[in-house]
Amino acid sequence: MSSSPKDKAKTPEGFSNLKTKTPPKNSVGMPAIKAAVGHAVKYMNPADALKISLKLNQKGGFDCPGCAWPDPDDARSFLGEYCENGIKAMAEEAQNKTIGAEFFANHSVDELAGWSDFEIGKSGRLSEPLFLASGATHYQPISWDDAFKKVGTHLNALDSPNDAVFYTSGRTTNEAAFLYQLFVREFGTSNLPDCSNMCHEASGSALSETLGIGKGSVTLDDLYKAELVIVMGQNPATNHPRMLTALEKCKKNGGKIMAINPLPEAGLVKFTNPQNPYKLLTGGTKITDVFVPITINGDVAFIKALLIKLLEKETIDGGVVDEGFIKEFTHGYEAFVSDLKTYNFEDCLQASGVSKEIFDEAFHLILNNNKIIICWAMGLTQHQNAVDNIRELVNLLLLKGSIGKEGAGTCPVRGHSNVQGDRTVGIWESAPQAFLDKIEAKYGFKPSPKHGYSVIDAIKAMYEKKAKVFFGMGGNFISAVPDTLYAAQALANCNLTVHVSTKLNRSHLVTGKEALILPCLGRSEKDYQKTGIQVQSVENSMGIVSSTKGVLEPCSKKIISEVAVVCGMAHATLKNRTKINWLQYKDDYNLVRHDIQEVVDGFDDYNSKLKQPSGFYLPNGARYRNFKTKTGKANFSLNRLPKWKLKDGELVMMTIRSHDQFNTTIYGLNDRYRGIYNERRIIFMNRDDMATRGFKEQQVVNLKSEFNGVVREAHNFKVIGYEIPKNCCATYFPETNVLVPLDSFAHTAKTPASKSVIIRVEAITPERLS
Ligand SMILES: Nc1nc2c(c(=O)[nH]1)N[C@H]1C(S)=C(S)[C@@H](COP(=O)(O)OP(=O)(O)OC[C@H]3O[C@@H](n4cnc5c(=O)[nH]c(N)nc54)[C@H](O)[C@@H]3O)O[C@H]1N2
Ligand SMILES: Nc1nc2c(c(=O)[nH]1)N[C@H]1C(S)=C(S)[C@@H](COP(=O)(O)OP(=O)(O)OC[C@H]3O[C@@H](n4cnc5c(=O)[nH]c(N)nc54)[C@H](O)[C@@H]3O)O[C@H]1N2
Ligand SMILES: [Mo]
């Protein structure tokens, strides 16, 4: 009997062979080089590995499919603008193994679902299109033509175009993303959920409302020139390693760094630049001047405490706030000040979990510096009050006049390498009407003005059988989304699930009645088309658009580009209903860019500007104090302290990344910077919280979350005593996504609150273990 969708969606509950060490204080350095080389040698052909490391993030090379951190505009170091996790990302994509018909004949879907995510990922690159027929146990090869026909038949059989969901992960290039959303809109729906919904959506909401642009305002150069950089809710040594080079440069120029994080993450403490041989020998740079060990979701409280003290000081001594800036460029200051007066400093400090001593150090750094940048990532965006988190940090910057000038501003550090670009070119379930009007003017069809499903809405719609076809452009939906078991049923309710992918993942195994895997080229591979090898483009975290061109031969002759997938699917689905000559685009991507230029602001002379070696900056009003908000000014906002309270025995859990994973892709089983080896099913706990519960180191426990009366469980985790504030704990994503309630999400943005999941931890009795 075949296992249920829920069983297939869960990560296997067995243990590996856990070893622990004291977490190191230093990051990167020699161990990082060793780890990177180890991965490259193990999974890639040596010649490919060399080609890749010379071209990664180089001008005229290809953009690393790892994170979205920008490359320097000027000189780029030899060895590539490279980092350990960039090399791991490449080793993952440019694997020397491929899987196709034979592999899938040998392994049933059920069997593969029993493999760990690590084993699934290491099976190899997908090398041909595959089809899972209704009731079948194994995927079988299918031709591209038949695959496109299948998609078209299913889509055209729907009662309404709104019964299909078109997901996007953030690796898709501008060209593929633009065509994809164009197809979806011509097909007739706005159902374009994307990984951003689970990632920086709260940043986009908060920044658009307060500063008039959903992106950050700073450039790399600003980071070098800042007097103070605050890194909040972010673990750069693992997730954006090249950011540490920028922080090091900032420090060299006299800047200070403050980190606000429940965990003393290794890279925040000390960093050894892998490109600096002297530093490799002498042991690195101390990065953080003040480390603030905040309680999970204590950020609004902490910033409020700072704001209260800054205004007190202003009243006594003056000269603290930037009056000129506030008067000329902001709106809502008086309301903000009177609202702040309703809060008490001690209450806020207590809610933040920070000691008065550390608060004072942080306060003085902010008081004494006026060029401040705040960087943040998932530690701020994945809470119910995520939008408040970001609006409150904007309040702090506005008060100090720290926006729209050199060395100051907002820096939401994006995740996927082109997640920002995808949104810019139209992957947006609630795209502004002005954008839709431009599509209508250019192509002559009227895009649906109705907002489509975000990720959470899409899951519900599939669960309720309102949506019946799921199409994923990249990503690993079932493992990335909250509430894994509910989502599994949602996908299983579909008539067809389709994934455009480079690698096998769990989403291919938790299917609708029928399923397709459409294998595509990765960033590192040459994209041969009729007019020659194609160049594509991406936008990084700081709004720079640059070209990317693969250097390796494709891993199989039967895989095609994402652009070609969209063109083939659009042609087969829309037939003579279309107003667009779909097949022309895949022959020449210049045509796609030509269209983007006409529809999206900021892309004038796209094709020629893309030839500039460092790419080009998109317009950014906030960078120049041109705030395109409803009031025409930068808006102060009023934010509340979070309301949730722990009951006796409960802990608040954040689901985070280990050092050896890229989201749901598991590179390996270690988390070197936290001293964890060979295991992912662990829970980091404060030692006092362990003692209260009578837990020993490596005790095996089950985790339970209860939300609105529904209990969710995750089994078999080993307890690790760790330097984490009391009442807080941490586990790895995606193993604990089963515990994240679908209905616990950020107001306005709908980002799942996967950094504040309230749980209980229960010891497993020895009898149950055996
Ligand atoms: N190698 C690698 N690189 C990646 C990724 C990857 O998985 N692997 N993923 C990419 C993607 S898509 C993204 S979005 C980014 C993610 O980059 P990060 O946001 O750095 O990733 P997380 O592991 O989720 O780490 C969240 C951090 O926030 C802290 N934190 C949690 N809750 C709170 C809180 O309430 N307040 C504060 N102040 N801090 C908190 C955690 O301790 C942790 O250090 O990285 C991108 N780059
Ligand atoms: N609990 C919890 N859940 C989370 C998070 C968390 O912190 N905690 N983080 C959230 C965040 S920030 C994000 S961004 C999402 C990530 O969600 P997703 O973007 O959906 O997940 P990924 O793991 O990045 O997707 C990996 C898959 O993408 C495919 N892939 C890789 N490269 C390419 C390519 O070039 N083209 C195509 N077509 N496919 C490719 C491969 O098949 C691979 O298996 O997860 C979210 N989920
Ligand atoms: Mo992300």
Side-chain angles (χ1 to χ4, degrees):
M1 211 189 72
S2 76
S3 43
S4 74
K6 293 183 181 181
D7 286 337
K8 287 189 270 201
K10 275 195 282 194
T11 50
E13 291 171 357
F15 289 118
S16 309
N17 183 20
L18 171 64
K19 299 255 180 336
T20 59
K21 285 188 190 168
T22 310
K25 290 285 178 216
N26 201 350
S27 71
V28 194
M30 264 321 205
I33 295 182
K34 243 174 82 185
V37 171
H39 266 261
V41 172
K42 200 159 160 193
Y43 301 116
M44 284 194 276
N45 298 318
D48 289 351
L50 184 65
K51 246 190 223 164
I52 275 182
S53 40
L54 293 177
K55 283 289 185 186
L56 193 62
N57 288 330
Q58 291 299 308
K59 296 174 184 176
F62 69 97
D63 183 63
C64 177
C67 73
W69 189 253
D71 308 310
D73 289 340
D74 47 15
R76 298 191 185 167
S77 43
F78 171 69
L79 251 188
E81 270 297 314
Y82 120 115
C83 75
E84 173 191 348
N85 279 347
I87 294 287
K88 285 189 204 158
M90 282 327 317
E92 198 67 29
E93 182 178 298
Q95 284 186 13
N96 47 21
K97 265 202 294 185
T98 56
I99 52 175
E102 197 185 324
F103 175 89
F104 288 95
N106 289 336
H107 304 289
S108 70
V109 170
D110 268 12
E111 182 199 339
L112 292 170
W115 293 11
S116 70
D117 290 346
F118 175 65
E119 290 162 325
I120 290 175
K122 289 287 179 274
S123 54
R125 279 285 301 278
L126 292 159
S127 65
E128 59 182 312
L130 296 150
F131 175 58
L132 184 71
S134 181
T137 52
H138 291 67
Y139 273 99
Q140 285 187 328
I142 183 172
S143 71
W144 277 106
D145 272 353
D146 288 347
F148 290 143
K149 267 190 213 143
K150 189 122 286 306
V151 177
T153 307
H154 273 275
L155 288 178
N156 289 327
L158 295 171
D159 292 338
S160 151
N162 292 324
D163 297 351
V165 166
F166 297 90
Y167 174 71
T168 316
S169 170
R171 279 196 184 173
T172 300
T173 58
N174 284 356
E175 290 77 1
F178 178 78
L179 290 180
Y180 181 51
Q181 63 83 38
L182 184 65
F183 159 67
V184 170
R185 296 187 197 284
E186 191 180 26
F187 174 65
T189 181
S190 314
N191 287 342
L192 283 160
D194 69 344
C195 70
S196 192
N197 295 154
M198 299 181 271
C199 185
H200 265 295
E201 197 69 61
S203 307
S205 298
L207 293 174
S208 303
E209 177 194 332
T210 54
L211 300 174
I213 181 164
K215 308 176 183 182
S217 73
V218 303
T219 64
L220 260 186
D221 205 47
D222 287 320
L223 272 167
Y224 305 152
K225 291 177 177 157
E227 292 167 356
L228 172 63
V229 177
I230 306 179
V231 183
M232 294 183 80
Q234 201 203 337
N235 179 19
T238 287
N239 298 314
H240 306 91
R242 289 176 302 124
M243 177 176 167
L244 296 178
T245 314
L247 294 181
E248 188 185 42
K249 214 161 168 177
C250 171
K251 291 215 70 167
K252 225 192 252 159
N253 294 341
K256 300 275 186 215
I257 313 286
M258 185 194 308
I260 305 181
N261 200 307
L263 300 179
E265 305 284 28
L268 294 172
V269 183
K270 205 169 175 194
F271 161 59
T272 305
N273 191 330
Q275 278 136 23
N276 183 334
Y278 174 74
K279 284 282 165 66
L280 278 177
L281 295 174
T282 55
T285 311
K286 180 172 171 281
I287 291 286
T288 302
D289 297 280
V290 175
F291 174 70
V292 181
I294 198 154
T295 196
I296 293 175
N297 204 206
D299 302 86
V300 169
F302 185 70
I303 300 175
K304 273 208 194 299
L306 290 167
L307 292 168
I308 291 170
K309 284 289 167 196
L310 287 169
L311 282 181
E312 266 179 33
K313 186 91 178 141
E314 170 70 19
T315 315
I316 300 165
D317 300 330
V320 174
V321 310
D322 188 336
E323 272 179 21
F325 170 79
I326 292 172
K327 236 187 223 142
E328 191 179 345
F329 293 104
T330 73
H331 173 265
Y333 182 61
E334 287 74 23
F336 159 75
V337 172
S338 57
D339 183 68
L340 198 62
K341 286 188 180 144
T342 65
Y343 290 89
N344 168 289
F345 171 75
E346 270 76 28
D347 292 348
C348 290
L349 190 62
Q350 200 199 1
S352 74
V354 179
S355 71
K356 181 68 169 48
E357 292 68 41
I358 292 179
F359 173 85
D360 285 343
E361 285 182 49
F363 174 70
H364 282 104
L365 270 187
I366 290 168
L367 181 70
N368 297 327
N369 291 293
N370 293 316
K371 288 181 175 182
I372 303 175
I373 291 176
I374 305 185
C375 304
W376 72 91
M378 296 305 100
L380 293 197
T381 64
Q382 297 176 334
H383 299 282
Q384 290 182 3
N385 69 335
V387 177
D388 294 13
N389 273 340
I390 290 128
R391 291 196 306 203
E392 199 71 346
L393 71 82
V394 169
N395 281 340
L396 179 61
L397 291 173
L398 294 181
L399 197 74
K400 297 284 294 177
S402 257
I403 181 97
K405 68 179 185 190
E406 188 183 86
T410 51
C411 184
V413 183
R414 301 279 163 178
H416 267 300
S417 53
N418 196 38
V419 62
Q420 188 159 314
D422 289 349
R423 186 54 68 85
T424 303
V425 301
I427 302 290
W428 198 354
E429 79 284 357
S430 50
Q433 190 55 45
F435 173 78
L436 303 179
D437 291 344
K438 283 198 166 170
I439 297 247
E440 183 176 357
K442 162 89 186 137
Y443 298 102
F445 70 87
K446 197 171 179 56
S448 167
K450 215 178 109 198
H451 287 183
Y453 296 137
S454 69
V455 163
I456 285 182
D457 304 321
I459 296 169
K460 282 192 183 154
M462 292 187 283
Y463 189 89
E464 289 163 8
K465 302 189 181 172
K466 287 185 196 143
K468 300 188 183 87
V469 172
F470 173 90
F471 190 99
M473 179 56 86
N476 181 2
F477 194 79
I478 191 59
S479 300
V481 300
D483 229 338
T484 315
L485 304 190
Y486 182 94
Q489 191 56 53
L491 288 171
N493 286 349
C494 289
N495 293 333
L496 176 72
T497 48
V498 188
H499 290 91
V500 182
S501 313
T502 49
K503 302 271 307 291
L504 185 67
N505 65 45
R506 200 163 286 283
S507 294
H508 305 132
L509 311 173
V510 182
T511 64
K513 290 179 193 72
E514 295 185 325
L516 283 164
I517 302 176
L518 307 180
C520 68
L521 294 168
R523 279 284 166 77
S524 55
E525 288 163 323
K526 293 180 185 164
D527 185 352
Y528 291 99
Q529 303 293 351
K530 268 195 191 141
T531 55
I533 298 178
Q534 302 297 306
V535 172
Q536 301 194 62
S537 51
V538 289
E539 175 185 343
N540 65 33
S541 208
M542 293 178 180
I544 305 164
V545 178
S546 60
S547 66
T548 174
K549 190 173 171 186
V551 294
L552 302 181
E553 290 306 317
C555 71
S556 153
K557 290 211 158 58
K558 291 187 192 160
I559 65 174
I560 65 177
S561 71
E562 290 180 346
V563 167
V565 171
V566 176
C567 294
M569 167 169 74
H571 182 71
T573 307
L574 301 169
K575 298 184 187 143
N576 44 20
R577 301 205 302 278
T578 185
K579 297 203 180 298
I580 297 167
N581 174 3
W582 279 101
L583 296 183
Q584 64 174 340
Y585 294 114
K586 76 178 169 63
D587 296 339
D588 182 1
Y589 297 3
N590 284 314
L591 299 176
V592 189
R593 286 184 287 271
H594 193 266
D595 282 17
I596 294 177
Q597 169 178 323
E598 287 183 41
V599 174
V600 189
D601 293 338
F603 285 87
D604 309 331
D605 298 324
Y606 195 0
N607 277 312
S608 53
K609 276 208 234 153
L610 202 59
K611 297 201 176 93
Q612 295 168 13
S614 308
F616 61 94
Y617 280 90
L618 288 174
N620 187 315
R623 194 170 283 161
Y624 306 100
R625 298 191 166 177
N626 176 8
F627 301 110
K628 296 184 172 158
T629 60
K630 281 189 188 140
T631 60
K633 305 236 165 161
N635 293 316
F636 278 95
S637 59
L638 312 183
N639 306 300
R640 309 266 82 90
L641 295 179
K643 282 209 190 76
W644 58 269
K645 287 242 157 18
L646 294 179
K647 293 194 211 101
D648 232 17
E650 287 179 339
L651 297 174
V652 57
M653 174 181 81
M654 51 184 180
T655 55
I656 55 176
R657 292 154 172 80
S658 81
H659 190 61
D660 268 2
Q661 72 185 88
F662 190 95
N663 299 338
T664 69
T665 300
I666 310 302
Y667 298 144
L669 300 178
N670 300 342
D671 191 5
R672 195 173 76 237
Y673 293 157
R674 302 193 185 105
I676 301 295
Y677 293 82
N678 274 319
E679 187 54 81
R680 293 183 50 83
R681 301 191 77 82
I682 56 154
I683 172 165
F684 296 103
M685 283 179 70
N686 177 289
R687 292 189 176 85
D688 288 347
D689 290 333
M690 286 169 63
T692 325
R693 290 163 178 75
F695 291 168
K696 296 197 180 59
E697 197 65 24
Q698 300 202 17
Q699 169 130 17
V700 179
V701 295
N702 285 340
L703 315 179
K704 272 190 188 166
S705 76
E706 188 181 338
F707 186 84
N708 290 347
V710 181
V711 178
R712 296 169 174 81
E713 293 190 30
H715 299 144
N716 284 7
F717 288 80
K718 288 189 176 169
V719 175
I720 301 288
Y722 205 75
E723 204 178 321
I724 181 170
K726 263 177 96 156
N727 297 324
C728 297
C729 65
T731 53
Y732 298 129
F733 132 68
E735 281 78 358
T736 46
N737 282 34
V738 283
L739 297 172
V740 185
L742 192 69
D743 283 324
S744 175
F745 52 74
H747 72 73
T748 321
K750 288 203 170 167
T751 319
S754 44
K755 293 286 190 278
S756 47
V757 185
I758 295 177
I759 63 157
R760 287 179 190 278
V761 186
E762 295 177 354
I764 304 180
T765 54
E767 306 85 75
R768 278 197 55 198
L769 260 182
S770 57

